[in-house]
Amino acid sequence: MDDDRVFKALADPTRRFLLDLLFARDGRTLTQLESELAMTRFGVMKHLKVLEEANLVVTRRSGREKLHFLNAVPIRQIHDRWIDKYTGDNARALLDLKHELERET
């Protein structure tokens, strides 16, 4: 299932950092991404592969370079399916009740 791949990809702090780098400046090469991390080129490649399998990163060749781009659509789909529905009035009311009960004790 695609959600499983996205959750797996987002579970790792290094992969989240790579996504943050691409969010800050899209279209980076492997060398540019590798320079931001204290790990081997092969390690960065493995993380990028997981991100690509989750469709969070897409690549495009530009001459001899392979550029990496952030695809935020799967993250938005996760948000809409799993997070947005819990931020409604019911969740807010329960959270307010929890805070009120904690304050009384």
Side-chain angles (χ1 to χ4, degrees), residues 1-4 7 73-87:
M1 186 167 186
D2 288 342
D3 284 357
D4 294 338
F7 278 116
V73 172
I75 296 171
R76 183 60 196 211
Q77 290 172 325
I78 292 290
H79 174 270
D80 291 349
R81 180 170 181 207
W82 293 103
I83 298 169
D84 197 39
K85 69 181 175 183
Y86 296 109
T87 58

Side-chain angles (χ1 to χ4, degrees), residues 9-73:
L10 294 174
D12 184 85
T14 300
R15 291 192 283 269
R16 291 192 306 267
F17 182 70
L18 286 168
L19 293 175
D20 287 339
L21 290 174
L22 292 174
F23 179 80
R25 194 177 85 235
D26 233 359
R28 294 186 192 218
T29 64
L30 175 60
T31 302
Q32 291 168 333
L33 293 169
E34 175 192 6
S35 70
E36 300 283 341
L37 292 162
M39 77 174 35
T40 66
R41 184 175 186 85
F42 183 70
V44 175
M45 289 171 58
K46 286 175 65 175
H47 283 293
L48 286 171
K49 182 177 182 199
V50 173
L51 292 169
E52 287 180 52
E53 289 172 353
N55 200 27
L56 292 168
V57 169
V58 293
T59 60
R60 186 185 77 210
R61 289 245 175 234
S62 178
R64 294 176 42 194
E65 294 181 322
K66 183 178 180 183
L67 303 176
H68 299 83
F69 296 89
L70 172 66
N71 177 21
V73 172

